[in-house]
Amino acid sequence: MRTFIDRLLVRSDLTEGEQLALLGLHTREAVIPAGRDLRRYGEQSDYAAIISAGVVGRYHQARDGRRNFVAMHLPGDMADLCTTVLKDVSFGLEAMTDVTVELVSKADLLALAHLHAAISQAFWRDCVSDTLLIAQHVVRVAGLSARQKIAHLLCEMAYRLSVSDHQPRLQFNLGLTQSQLGDFLGLTAVHVNRMVREIRDIGLAVVDRRSVSIDDWDGLKRQGDFDPKYLSIPHASEQI
Amino acid sequence: MRTFIDRLLVRSDLTEGEQLALLGLHTREAVIPAGRDLRRYGEQSDYAAIISAGVVGRYHQARDGRRNFVAMHLPGDMADLCTTVLKDVSFGLEAMTDVTVELVSKADLLALAHLHAAISQAFWRDCVSDTLLIAQHVVRVAGLSARQKIAHLLCEMAYRLSVSDHQPRLQFNLGLTQSQLGDFLGLTAVHVNRMVREIRDIGLAVVDRRSVSIDDWDGLKRQGDFDPKYLSIPHASEQI
DNA sequence: CGAGACCTTGATTGTGCTCAAGAGCGGTGG
DNA sequence: CCACCGCTCTTGAGCACAATCAAGGTCTCG
């Protein structure tokens, strides 16, 4: 819960009292192994999940069962805050790695939102941030070449896995296989592999067995036409 | 403003008093000719725009100036409600046809949201609905073939242009050229043309000079793998 | 009736998919 | 300790969908 509040505080102001109210919510921990669904497509749940560890993929499912990912949720995210306010939202949440979550009652969240206008607005704002992530994913999968898609995603992850100073993290373990990257980006594993190799060969970054090491941050950003503005990270614009 | 409130009421409950509060907001009408931007990419505005007539495209812009559309906004939508709560959201709004809007002060909207928890929640919920549209657009542009993309979009428009009974509208004037459809779907105008022809040849729908006539609704839905659930339309699920 | 935007069709090219097969690594059990 | 299995990664060859380039046709409006 603390990590989630910290995330809210990046974009919203909450008083001590409001923070305490959030911290006072009852939560329950759950662990989901890689490959399993936190929430199956179309299912509903009375609990929202704050991610403590791991990577969660938000997907929509076609009639034939094929999954289309629309966003990745990382530690600190509340993966399904939006369903608090709109019940019949049909998306699924897949644990792309082993995942630990804190479950919070949506009814409790709503009650708090009713009591504190600032909390309501912080939640609202957080949902808008999710929208920006998804909108940027449209840009990524619809507007970029395969190589650019990968570069763009790596840049996004570098920022979102930033430890605390909002600087891109140049070395991290994403925990995803090339095949999963392909699923997320709408590419085949084979093609991801070729592009990852190219990105390595031009000296931008090395993706080796689920971990990533960025060698040329500016080059990678250029390659992926990446602009961190959509992440609403303070001071990110200064880094261009 | 009335159409916007009606849209809110589809998914949220508002008392007479709350509705009156919204109706009491001062608005100013503006007309934007086709091709012009309501809001240029990266710009900020103190006013939100309720669309009274026309089609507005929400886009992100790459460094080279190419536009990637993430959603279409139709009459009744508040195209940029989300920026009320998150200032530095960078997307643009392009009038894809001649457009009429009602401008409302974002400060006024926020003030109302602070006063009425229900209004705040209705706004929040409306933003989540936008997210669903965008998420579905991901599915469309990333998961479907060119022909399916067009079929899917036509299905979405049939629902969203529905007059009032939440039934799909089988005949409508979209006001968009094939080239614009291509821009929106990430296809070339040439290819849109070929696919539109195919859709006509198999007897699903006729797209003729900016207007659409759907001949085989079920077939078109199947072709586009369309499931109206994401539109949060009451009773839509009964229509499968 | 002419200009310009839009639609239509053909030929060629290229990106990324599909199918296929092999190599490296890690875990498990005999 | 080694053999085996499964998962991931790697590389190759051929193919398909949609882009690109190019040219002609049609509609609308001034």
Side-chain angles (χ1 to χ4, degrees):
Chain A
M1 176 56 84
R2 189 64 243 174
T3 53
F4 175 60
I5 295 177
D6 289 342
R7 169 123 339 176
L8 292 180
L9 289 174
V10 171
R11 306 185 190 93
S12 307
D13 289 324
L14 296 174
T15 65
E16 282 294 323
E18 287 153 354
Q19 293 184 40
L20 283 174
L22 283 167
L23 281 169
L25 289 174
H26 178 257
T27 66
R28 183 163 54 87
E29 195 178 89
V31 176
I32 299 97
R36 197 78 64 75
D37 276 11
L38 268 83
R39 154 206 299 259
R40 222 162 305 147
Y41 182 73
E43 262 181 13
Q44 294 189 13
S45 162
D46 294 332
Y47 294 88
I50 299 169
I51 301 171
S52 314
V55 178
V56 172
R58 177 164 164 182
Y59 68 89
H60 288 235
Q61 196 162 293
R63 250 201 284 283
D64 62 13
R66 229 162 23 82
R67 292 185 172 184
N68 290 283
F69 289 89
V70 300
M72 267 187 206
H73 291 291
L74 303 179
D77 291 5
M78 175 112 71
D80 45 8
L81 181 57
C82 58
T83 60
T84 302
V85 82
L86 201 61
K87 289 288 172 232
D88 55 350
V89 173
S90 45
F91 59 76
L93 293 172
E94 173 182 320
M96 305 187 79
T97 66
D98 290 341
V99 164
T100 312
V101 295
E102 269 183 90
L103 298 174
V104 198
S105 153
K106 289 180 189 174
D108 291 353
L109 290 171
L110 265 185
L112 268 194
H114 258 98
L115 274 174
H116 305 275
I119 290 183
S120 177
Q121 205 180 100
F123 285 172
W124 175 9
R125 187 172 289 125
D126 197 67
C127 286
V128 173
S129 305
D130 276 355
T131 307
L132 299 186
L133 280 186
I134 297 175
Q136 194 62 31
H137 189 60
V138 172
V139 172
R140 181 160 47 207
V141 297
L144 301 180
S145 71
R147 180 154 29 123
Q148 289 179 308
K149 287 183 194 185
I150 294 171
H152 190 282
L153 181 61
L154 294 182
C155 289
E156 176 174 320
M157 290 302 122
Y159 268 117
R160 293 180 63 198
L161 291 170
S162 161
V163 206
S164 66
D165 53 357
H166 304 306
Q167 295 292 322
R169 187 169 163 189
L170 300 185
Q171 205 122 17
F172 51 89
N173 189 319
L174 192 51
L176 302 180
T177 64
Q178 292 183 0
S179 174
Q180 286 176 311
L181 289 179
D183 286 345
F184 185 72
L185 294 170
L187 299 170
T188 58
V190 172
H191 205 58
V192 169
N193 184 274
R194 290 192 237 266
M195 294 303 110
V196 158
R197 164 195 255 283
E198 280 188 22
I199 287 174
R200 168 161 33 86
D201 288 349
I202 36 183
L204 297 180
V206 179
V207 180
D208 183 45
R209 355 192 56 278
R210 305 186 193 194
S211 71
V212 177
S213 165
I214 299 174
D215 299 320
D216 176 0
W217 172 247
D218 288 330
L220 194 67
K221 253 175 45 173
R222 219 175 316 111
Q223 176 69 232
D225 195 17
F226 185 80
D227 179 352
K229 209 167 175 187
Y230 70 97
L231 294 170
S232 315
I233 292 171
H235 317 306
S237 47
E238 301 167 9
Q239 292 162 22
I240 300 212
Chain B
M1 176 57 83
R2 188 64 244 173
T3 54
F4 175 60
I5 296 177
D6 289 342
R7 168 124 340 175
L8 291 180
L9 289 174
V10 172
R11 306 184 189 95
S12 307
D13 289 325
L14 296 175
T15 65
E16 281 296 322
E18 287 153 355
Q19 293 182 42
L20 283 175
L22 283 166
L23 281 170
L25 290 174
H26 178 256
T27 66
R28 183 164 53 87
E29 196 177 90
V31 176
I32 299 97
R36 196 79 63 78
D37 277 11
L38 267 83
R39 155 207 298 262
R40 222 161 305 148
Y41 182 72
E43 262 181 13
Q44 293 188 14
S45 161
D46 294 332
Y47 294 88
I50 299 169
I51 301 170
S52 313
V55 178
V56 172
R58 179 164 163 182
Y59 68 89
H60 288 235
Q61 195 160 297
R63 248 200 285 281
D64 63 12
R66 231 162 22 83
R67 293 185 170 185
N68 290 283
F69 289 89
V70 300
M72 268 187 206
H73 291 291
L74 303 179
D77 292 5
M78 176 113 70
D80 45 7
L81 181 56
C82 59
T83 59
T84 301
V85 82
L86 202 60
K87 288 289 171 232
D88 54 350
V89 174
S90 45
F91 59 76
L93 293 172
E94 173 182 318
M96 304 186 79
T97 66
D98 291 340
V99 163
T100 312
V101 296
E102 268 183 272
L103 297 174
V104 198
S105 152
K106 289 181 188 172
D108 291 354
L109 290 170
L110 264 185
L112 267 195
H114 257 99
L115 275 175
H116 305 274
I119 290 183
S120 177
Q121 205 180 99
F123 286 171
W124 176 8
R125 188 171 287 124
D126 196 66
C127 286
V128 172
S129 304
D130 276 355
T131 308
L132 298 186
L133 280 186
I134 297 175
Q136 194 62 31
H137 190 59
V138 172
V139 173
R140 181 160 47 208
V141 296
L144 302 179
S145 71
R147 188 169 5 138
Q148 289 180 307
K149 287 183 194 183
I150 294 172
H152 189 283
L153 180 62
L154 294 182
C155 289
E156 176 174 321
M157 290 302 121
Y159 268 116
R160 293 180 63 196
L161 291 171
S162 160
V163 205
S164 67
D165 53 357
H166 304 307
Q167 295 292 323
R169 186 168 163 189
L170 300 184
Q171 206 122 15
F172 51 88
N173 189 319
L174 193 49
L176 302 180
T177 65
Q178 292 183 358
S179 174
Q180 286 176 310
L181 290 178
D183 285 346
F184 185 71
L185 294 170
L187 300 170
T188 58
V190 172
H191 205 57
V192 168
N193 184 274
R194 291 193 237 265
M195 295 303 109
V196 158
R197 164 196 255 281
E198 280 188 23
I199 287 174
R200 167 161 33 87
D201 288 349
I202 36 184
L204 296 180
V206 179
V207 180
D208 183 45
R209 1 197 48 280
R210 306 188 193 193
S211 72
V212 177
S213 164
I214 298 174
D215 300 321
D216 176 1
W217 172 248
D218 289 329
L220 194 68
K221 252 174 48 171
R222 218 175 316 109
Q223 176 70 231
D225 195 17
F226 185 80
D227 179 352
K229 207 166 173 188
Y230 71 96
L231 294 171
S232 315
I233 293 171
H235 317 306
S237 48
E238 300 168 9
Q239 294 163 20
I240 299 212

PDB file of all heavy atoms in Angstrom, chain B residues 177-179 190 193-194 197 210, chain C residues 5-12:
ATOM      1  N   THR B 177     -13.289  10.430 -45.004  1.00  0.00           N
ATOM      2  CA  THR B 177     -12.834   9.873 -46.276  1.00  0.00           C
ATOM      3  C   THR B 177     -12.113   8.559 -46.013  1.00  0.00           C
ATOM      4  O   THR B 177     -11.726   8.260 -44.884  1.00  0.00           O
ATOM      5  CB  THR B 177     -11.843  10.824 -46.957  1.00  0.00           C
ATOM      6  OG1 THR B 177     -10.670  10.921 -46.135  1.00  0.00           O
ATOM      7  CG2 THR B 177     -12.442  12.201 -47.136  1.00  0.00           C
ATOM      8  N   GLN B 178     -11.926   7.794 -47.061  1.00  0.00           N
ATOM      9  CA  GLN B 178     -11.194   6.532 -46.919  1.00  0.00           C
ATOM     10  C   GLN B 178      -9.781   6.797 -46.439  1.00  0.00           C
ATOM     11  O   GLN B 178      -9.213   6.016 -45.678  1.00  0.00           O
ATOM     12  CB  GLN B 178     -11.169   5.789 -48.258  1.00  0.00           C
ATOM     13  CG  GLN B 178     -12.539   5.292 -48.681  1.00  0.00           C
ATOM     14  CD  GLN B 178     -12.504   4.491 -49.966  1.00  0.00           C
ATOM     15  OE1 GLN B 178     -11.454   4.323 -50.580  1.00  0.00           O
ATOM     16  NE2 GLN B 178     -13.661   3.999 -50.375  1.00  0.00           N
ATOM     17  N   SER B 179      -9.243   7.888 -46.864  1.00  0.00           N
ATOM     18  CA  SER B 179      -7.899   8.253 -46.442  1.00  0.00           C
ATOM     19  C   SER B 179      -7.853   8.493 -44.934  1.00  0.00           C
ATOM     20  O   SER B 179      -6.910   8.076 -44.252  1.00  0.00           O
ATOM     21  CB  SER B 179      -7.472   9.507 -47.205  1.00  0.00           C
ATOM     22  OG  SER B 179      -6.243   9.963 -46.728  1.00  0.00           O
ATOM     23  N   VAL B 190      -4.935   3.523 -50.100  1.00  0.00           N
ATOM     24  CA  VAL B 190      -5.060   2.527 -51.165  1.00  0.00           C
ATOM     25  C   VAL B 190      -5.584   1.206 -50.617  1.00  0.00           C
ATOM     26  O   VAL B 190      -6.500   0.601 -51.171  1.00  0.00           O
ATOM     27  CB  VAL B 190      -3.696   2.296 -51.844  1.00  0.00           C
ATOM     28  CG1 VAL B 190      -3.762   1.139 -52.813  1.00  0.00           C
ATOM     29  CG2 VAL B 190      -3.235   3.559 -52.555  1.00  0.00           C
ATOM     30  N   ASN B 193      -9.150   1.252 -49.472  1.00  0.00           N
ATOM     31  CA  ASN B 193     -10.042   1.163 -50.629  1.00  0.00           C
ATOM     32  C   ASN B 193     -10.262  -0.288 -51.048  1.00  0.00           C
ATOM     33  O   ASN B 193     -11.392  -0.731 -51.255  1.00  0.00           O
ATOM     34  CB  ASN B 193      -9.438   1.958 -51.781  1.00  0.00           C
ATOM     35  CG  ASN B 193     -10.352   1.981 -52.991  1.00  0.00           C
ATOM     36  OD1 ASN B 193     -10.309   1.081 -53.802  1.00  0.00           O
ATOM     37  ND2 ASN B 193     -11.208   2.981 -53.059  1.00  0.00           N
ATOM     38  N   ARG B 194      -9.193  -1.048 -51.133  1.00  0.00           N
ATOM     39  CA  ARG B 194      -9.329  -2.453 -51.536  1.00  0.00           C
ATOM     40  C   ARG B 194     -10.159  -3.248 -50.529  1.00  0.00           C
ATOM     41  O   ARG B 194     -10.988  -4.081 -50.900  1.00  0.00           O
ATOM     42  CB  ARG B 194      -7.945  -3.088 -51.666  1.00  0.00           C
ATOM     43  CG  ARG B 194      -7.145  -2.559 -52.838  1.00  0.00           C
ATOM     44  CD  ARG B 194      -5.938  -3.434 -53.104  1.00  0.00           C
ATOM     45  NE  ARG B 194      -4.696  -2.693 -53.048  1.00  0.00           N
ATOM     46  CZ  ARG B 194      -4.093  -2.181 -54.105  1.00  0.00           C
ATOM     47  NH1 ARG B 194      -4.616  -2.300 -55.298  1.00  0.00           N
ATOM     48  NH2 ARG B 194      -2.952  -1.510 -53.989  1.00  0.00           N
ATOM     49  N   ARG B 197     -13.812  -2.447 -50.596  1.00  0.00           N
ATOM     50  CA  ARG B 197     -14.416  -3.126 -51.741  1.00  0.00           C
ATOM     51  C   ARG B 197     -14.698  -4.591 -51.396  1.00  0.00           C
ATOM     52  O   ARG B 197     -15.777  -5.117 -51.679  1.00  0.00           O
ATOM     53  CB  ARG B 197     -13.464  -3.041 -52.928  1.00  0.00           C
ATOM     54  CG  ARG B 197     -13.795  -4.013 -54.034  1.00  0.00           C
ATOM     55  CD  ARG B 197     -12.623  -4.156 -54.985  1.00  0.00           C
ATOM     56  NE  ARG B 197     -12.867  -3.444 -56.238  1.00  0.00           N
ATOM     57  CZ  ARG B 197     -13.634  -3.925 -57.223  1.00  0.00           C
ATOM     58  NH1 ARG B 197     -14.246  -5.072 -57.073  1.00  0.00           N
ATOM     59  NH2 ARG B 197     -13.792  -3.255 -58.346  1.00  0.00           N
ATOM     60  N   ARG B 210     -18.157   8.531 -47.782  1.00  0.00           N
ATOM     61  CA  ARG B 210     -18.328   9.004 -46.401  1.00  0.00           C
ATOM     62  C   ARG B 210     -19.584   8.517 -45.701  1.00  0.00           C
ATOM     63  O   ARG B 210     -19.844   8.886 -44.566  1.00  0.00           O
ATOM     64  CB  ARG B 210     -18.323  10.541 -46.345  1.00  0.00           C
ATOM     65  CG  ARG B 210     -17.085  11.090 -46.991  1.00  0.00           C
ATOM     66  CD  ARG B 210     -16.960  12.564 -46.779  1.00  0.00           C
ATOM     67  NE  ARG B 210     -15.918  13.072 -47.694  1.00  0.00           N
ATOM     68  CZ  ARG B 210     -15.372  14.247 -47.614  1.00  0.00           C
ATOM     69  NH1 ARG B 210     -15.756  15.082 -46.680  1.00  0.00           N
ATOM     70  NH2 ARG B 210     -14.431  14.609 -48.454  1.00  0.00           N
TER      71      ARG B 210
ATOM     72  P    DA C   5      -6.807  19.860 -53.375  1.00  0.00           P
ATOM     73  OP1  DA C   5      -6.367  20.879 -52.410  1.00  0.00           O
ATOM     74  OP2  DA C   5      -5.825  19.068 -54.159  1.00  0.00           O
ATOM     75  O5'  DA C   5      -7.762  18.839 -52.629  1.00  0.00           O
ATOM     76  C5'  DA C   5      -9.097  19.234 -52.305  1.00  0.00           C
ATOM     77  C4'  DA C   5     -10.006  18.034 -52.403  1.00  0.00           C
ATOM     78  O4'  DA C   5     -10.174  17.657 -53.788  1.00  0.00           O
ATOM     79  C3'  DA C   5      -9.460  16.794 -51.687  1.00  0.00           C
ATOM     80  O3'  DA C   5     -10.473  16.304 -50.830  1.00  0.00           O
ATOM     81  C2'  DA C   5      -9.149  15.822 -52.817  1.00  0.00           C
ATOM     82  C1'  DA C   5     -10.118  16.257 -53.900  1.00  0.00           C
ATOM     83  N9   DA C   5      -9.673  15.939 -55.255  1.00  0.00           N
ATOM     84  C8   DA C   5      -8.498  16.276 -55.843  1.00  0.00           C
ATOM     85  N7   DA C   5      -8.375  15.862 -57.083  1.00  0.00           N
ATOM     86  C5   DA C   5      -9.570  15.192 -57.317  1.00  0.00           C
ATOM     87  C6   DA C   5     -10.063  14.518 -58.443  1.00  0.00           C
ATOM     88  N6   DA C   5      -9.394  14.414 -59.601  1.00  0.00           N
ATOM     89  N1   DA C   5     -11.292  13.966 -58.349  1.00  0.00           N
ATOM     90  C2   DA C   5     -11.962  14.083 -57.197  1.00  0.00           C
ATOM     91  N3   DA C   5     -11.607  14.687 -56.066  1.00  0.00           N
ATOM     92  C4   DA C   5     -10.376  15.234 -56.198  1.00  0.00           C
ATOM     93  P    DC C   6     -10.189  15.136 -49.791  1.00  0.00           P
ATOM     94  OP1  DC C   6     -11.048  15.394 -48.626  1.00  0.00           O
ATOM     95  OP2  DC C   6      -8.722  14.985 -49.672  1.00  0.00           O
ATOM     96  O5'  DC C   6     -10.750  13.828 -50.518  1.00  0.00           O
ATOM     97  C5'  DC C   6     -12.106  13.798 -50.928  1.00  0.00           C
ATOM     98  C4'  DC C   6     -12.300  12.651 -51.874  1.00  0.00           C
ATOM     99  O4'  DC C   6     -11.545  12.896 -53.076  1.00  0.00           O
ATOM    100  C3'  DC C   6     -11.802  11.300 -51.356  1.00  0.00           C
ATOM    101  O3'  DC C   6     -12.935  10.484 -51.111  1.00  0.00           O
ATOM    102  C2'  DC C   6     -10.934  10.746 -52.485  1.00  0.00           C
ATOM    103  C1'  DC C   6     -11.278  11.648 -53.663  1.00  0.00           C
ATOM    104  N1   DC C   6     -10.199  11.827 -54.673  1.00  0.00           N
ATOM    105  C2   DC C   6     -10.368  11.347 -55.961  1.00  0.00           C
ATOM    106  O2   DC C   6     -11.409  10.761 -56.262  1.00  0.00           O
ATOM    107  N3   DC C   6      -9.382  11.524 -56.873  1.00  0.00           N
ATOM    108  C4   DC C   6      -8.265  12.169 -56.530  1.00  0.00           C
ATOM    109  N4   DC C   6      -7.323  12.324 -57.472  1.00  0.00           N
ATOM    110  C5   DC C   6      -8.069  12.673 -55.219  1.00  0.00           C
ATOM    111  C6   DC C   6      -9.055  12.483 -54.320  1.00  0.00           C
ATOM    112  P    DC C   7     -12.757   8.966 -50.558  1.00  0.00           P
ATOM    113  OP1  DC C   7     -13.983   8.647 -49.806  1.00  0.00           O
ATOM    114  OP2  DC C   7     -11.429   8.809 -49.928  1.00  0.00           O
ATOM    115  O5'  DC C   7     -12.764   8.120 -51.898  1.00  0.00           O
ATOM    116  C5'  DC C   7     -13.874   8.237 -52.776  1.00  0.00           C
ATOM    117  C4'  DC C   7     -13.576   7.501 -54.064  1.00  0.00           C
ATOM    118  O4'  DC C   7     -12.425   8.096 -54.702  1.00  0.00           O
ATOM    119  C3'  DC C   7     -13.250   6.013 -53.917  1.00  0.00           C
ATOM    120  O3'  DC C   7     -14.151   5.282 -54.722  1.00  0.00           O
ATOM    121  C2'  DC C   7     -11.801   5.897 -54.386  1.00  0.00           C
ATOM    122  C1'  DC C   7     -11.687   7.073 -55.332  1.00  0.00           C
ATOM    123  N1   DC C   7     -10.318   7.590 -55.557  1.00  0.00           N
ATOM    124  C2   DC C   7      -9.759   7.498 -56.831  1.00  0.00           C
ATOM    125  O2   DC C   7     -10.413   6.957 -57.730  1.00  0.00           O
ATOM    126  N3   DC C   7      -8.517   7.988 -57.052  1.00  0.00           N
ATOM    127  C4   DC C   7      -7.841   8.574 -56.057  1.00  0.00           C
ATOM    128  N4   DC C   7      -6.621   9.056 -56.312  1.00  0.00           N
ATOM    129  C5   DC C   7      -8.387   8.690 -54.742  1.00  0.00           C
ATOM    130  C6   DC C   7      -9.624   8.187 -54.534  1.00  0.00           C
ATOM    131  P    DT C   8     -14.220   3.684 -54.638  1.00  0.00           P
ATOM    132  OP1  DT C   8     -15.549   3.238 -55.103  1.00  0.00           O
ATOM    133  OP2  DT C   8     -13.719   3.288 -53.312  1.00  0.00           O
ATOM    134  O5'  DT C   8     -13.166   3.237 -55.726  1.00  0.00           O
ATOM    135  C5'  DT C   8     -13.428   3.488 -57.100  1.00  0.00           C
ATOM    136  C4'  DT C   8     -12.277   2.990 -57.947  1.00  0.00           C
ATOM    137  O4'  DT C   8     -11.132   3.833 -57.732  1.00  0.00           O
ATOM    138  C3'  DT C   8     -11.792   1.576 -57.646  1.00  0.00           C
ATOM    139  O3'  DT C   8     -12.198   0.752 -58.734  1.00  0.00           O
ATOM    140  C2'  DT C   8     -10.269   1.688 -57.541  1.00  0.00           C
ATOM    141  C1'  DT C   8      -9.989   3.076 -58.086  1.00  0.00           C
ATOM    142  N1   DT C   8      -8.819   3.784 -57.506  1.00  0.00           N
ATOM    143  C2   DT C   8      -7.782   4.117 -58.337  1.00  0.00           C
ATOM    144  O2   DT C   8      -7.757   3.844 -59.514  1.00  0.00           O
ATOM    145  N3   DT C   8      -6.753   4.793 -57.721  1.00  0.00           N
ATOM    146  C4   DT C   8      -6.674   5.157 -56.380  1.00  0.00           C
ATOM    147  O4   DT C   8      -5.705   5.767 -55.941  1.00  0.00           O
ATOM    148  C5   DT C   8      -7.797   4.776 -55.570  1.00  0.00           C
ATOM    149  C7   DT C   8      -7.821   5.108 -54.111  1.00  0.00           C
ATOM    150  C6   DT C   8      -8.811   4.112 -56.160  1.00  0.00           C
ATOM    151  P    DT C   9     -12.120  -0.810 -58.678  1.00  0.00           P
ATOM    152  OP1  DT C   9     -13.142  -1.364 -59.567  1.00  0.00           O
ATOM    153  OP2  DT C   9     -12.062  -1.232 -57.270  1.00  0.00           O
ATOM    154  O5'  DT C   9     -10.696  -1.090 -59.328  1.00  0.00           O
ATOM    155  C5'  DT C   9     -10.401  -0.554 -60.606  1.00  0.00           C
ATOM    156  C4'  DT C   9      -8.926  -0.673 -60.910  1.00  0.00           C
ATOM    157  O4'  DT C   9      -8.184   0.339 -60.191  1.00  0.00           O
ATOM    158  C3'  DT C   9      -8.268  -2.002 -60.525  1.00  0.00           C
ATOM    159  O3'  DT C   9      -7.928  -2.709 -61.718  1.00  0.00           O
ATOM    160  C2'  DT C   9      -7.018  -1.605 -59.736  1.00  0.00           C
ATOM    161  C1'  DT C   9      -6.867  -0.138 -60.060  1.00  0.00           C
ATOM    162  N1   DT C   9      -6.220   0.637 -58.976  1.00  0.00           N
ATOM    163  C2   DT C   9      -5.120   1.416 -59.281  1.00  0.00           C
ATOM    164  O2   DT C   9      -4.642   1.486 -60.392  1.00  0.00           O
ATOM    165  N3   DT C   9      -4.596   2.088 -58.220  1.00  0.00           N
ATOM    166  C4   DT C   9      -5.053   2.081 -56.905  1.00  0.00           C
ATOM    167  O4   DT C   9      -4.502   2.731 -56.045  1.00  0.00           O
ATOM    168  C5   DT C   9      -6.204   1.251 -56.661  1.00  0.00           C
ATOM    169  C7   DT C   9      -6.784   1.146 -55.291  1.00  0.00           C
ATOM    170  C6   DT C   9      -6.732   0.581 -57.694  1.00  0.00           C
ATOM    171  P    DG C  10      -7.134  -4.077 -61.669  1.00  0.00           P
ATOM    172  OP1  DG C  10      -7.532  -4.846 -62.873  1.00  0.00           O
ATOM    173  OP2  DG C  10      -7.231  -4.683 -60.324  1.00  0.00           O
ATOM    174  O5'  DG C  10      -5.632  -3.581 -61.870  1.00  0.00           O
ATOM    175  C5'  DG C  10      -5.226  -2.979 -63.087  1.00  0.00           C
ATOM    176  C4'  DG C  10      -3.727  -2.806 -63.091  1.00  0.00           C
ATOM    177  O4'  DG C  10      -3.366  -1.805 -62.114  1.00  0.00           O
ATOM    178  C3'  DG C  10      -2.933  -4.065 -62.729  1.00  0.00           C
ATOM    179  O3'  DG C  10      -1.904  -4.265 -63.687  1.00  0.00           O
ATOM    180  C2'  DG C  10      -2.355  -3.758 -61.352  1.00  0.00           C
ATOM    181  C1'  DG C  10      -2.249  -2.241 -61.364  1.00  0.00           C
ATOM    182  N9   DG C  10      -2.333  -1.628 -60.046  1.00  0.00           N
ATOM    183  C8   DG C  10      -3.356  -1.764 -59.135  1.00  0.00           C
ATOM    184  N7   DG C  10      -3.149  -1.077 -58.030  1.00  0.00           N
ATOM    185  C5   DG C  10      -1.921  -0.464 -58.238  1.00  0.00           C
ATOM    186  C6   DG C  10      -1.181   0.397 -57.396  1.00  0.00           C
ATOM    187  O6   DG C  10      -1.472   0.812 -56.276  1.00  0.00           O
ATOM    188  N1   DG C  10       0.019   0.792 -57.992  1.00  0.00           N
ATOM    189  C2   DG C  10       0.440   0.405 -59.237  1.00  0.00           C
ATOM    190  N2   DG C  10       1.615   0.882 -59.627  1.00  0.00           N
ATOM    191  N3   DG C  10      -0.248  -0.400 -60.038  1.00  0.00           N
ATOM    192  C4   DG C  10      -1.407  -0.796 -59.466  1.00  0.00           C
ATOM    193  P    DA C  11      -0.958  -5.516 -63.644  1.00  0.00           P
ATOM    194  OP1  DA C  11      -0.653  -5.884 -65.038  1.00  0.00           O
ATOM    195  OP2  DA C  11      -1.519  -6.517 -62.706  1.00  0.00           O
ATOM    196  O5'  DA C  11       0.355  -4.901 -62.985  1.00  0.00           O
ATOM    197  C5'  DA C  11       1.017  -3.787 -63.589  1.00  0.00           C
ATOM    198  C4'  DA C  11       2.324  -3.514 -62.868  1.00  0.00           C
ATOM    199  O4'  DA C  11       2.048  -2.862 -61.604  1.00  0.00           O
ATOM    200  C3'  DA C  11       3.139  -4.768 -62.524  1.00  0.00           C
ATOM    201  O3'  DA C  11       4.506  -4.500 -62.776  1.00  0.00           O
ATOM    202  C2'  DA C  11       2.841  -4.999 -61.054  1.00  0.00           C
ATOM    203  C1'  DA C  11       2.642  -3.573 -60.541  1.00  0.00           C
ATOM    204  N9   DA C  11       1.742  -3.463 -59.390  1.00  0.00           N
ATOM    205  C8   DA C  11       0.557  -4.129 -59.190  1.00  0.00           C
ATOM    206  N7   DA C  11      -0.043  -3.813 -58.073  1.00  0.00           N
ATOM    207  C5   DA C  11       0.806  -2.878 -57.488  1.00  0.00           C
ATOM    208  C6   DA C  11       0.734  -2.156 -56.280  1.00  0.00           C
ATOM    209  N6   DA C  11      -0.268  -2.263 -55.430  1.00  0.00           N
ATOM    210  N1   DA C  11       1.753  -1.314 -56.002  1.00  0.00           N
ATOM    211  C2   DA C  11       2.772  -1.202 -56.883  1.00  0.00           C
ATOM    212  N3   DA C  11       2.929  -1.828 -58.052  1.00  0.00           N
ATOM    213  C4   DA C  11       1.907  -2.658 -58.285  1.00  0.00           C
ATOM    214  P    DT C  12       5.624  -5.617 -62.474  1.00  0.00           P
ATOM    215  OP1  DT C  12       6.646  -5.492 -63.532  1.00  0.00           O
ATOM    216  OP2  DT C  12       4.953  -6.913 -62.208  1.00  0.00           O
ATOM    217  O5'  DT C  12       6.270  -5.105 -61.111  1.00  0.00           O
ATOM    218  C5'  DT C  12       6.730  -3.746 -61.013  1.00  0.00           C
ATOM    219  C4'  DT C  12       7.165  -3.469 -59.590  1.00  0.00           C
ATOM    220  O4'  DT C  12       6.013  -3.427 -58.725  1.00  0.00           O
ATOM    221  C3'  DT C  12       8.119  -4.500 -58.978  1.00  0.00           C
ATOM    222  O3'  DT C  12       9.287  -3.818 -58.543  1.00  0.00           O
ATOM    223  C2'  DT C  12       7.318  -5.120 -57.836  1.00  0.00           C
ATOM    224  C1'  DT C  12       6.360  -3.990 -57.484  1.00  0.00           C
ATOM    225  N1   DT C  12       5.103  -4.394 -56.802  1.00  0.00           N
ATOM    226  C2   DT C  12       4.765  -3.779 -55.610  1.00  0.00           C
ATOM    227  O2   DT C  12       5.458  -2.931 -55.090  1.00  0.00           O
ATOM    228  N3   DT C  12       3.581  -4.198 -55.059  1.00  0.00           N
ATOM    229  C4   DT C  12       2.721  -5.154 -55.569  1.00  0.00           C
ATOM    230  O4   DT C  12       1.698  -5.441 -54.982  1.00  0.00           O
ATOM    231  C5   DT C  12       3.133  -5.758 -56.810  1.00  0.00           C
ATOM    232  C7   DT C  12       2.275  -6.803 -57.441  1.00  0.00           C
ATOM    233  C6   DT C  12       4.290  -5.358 -57.363  1.00  0.00           C
TER     234       DT C  12
END
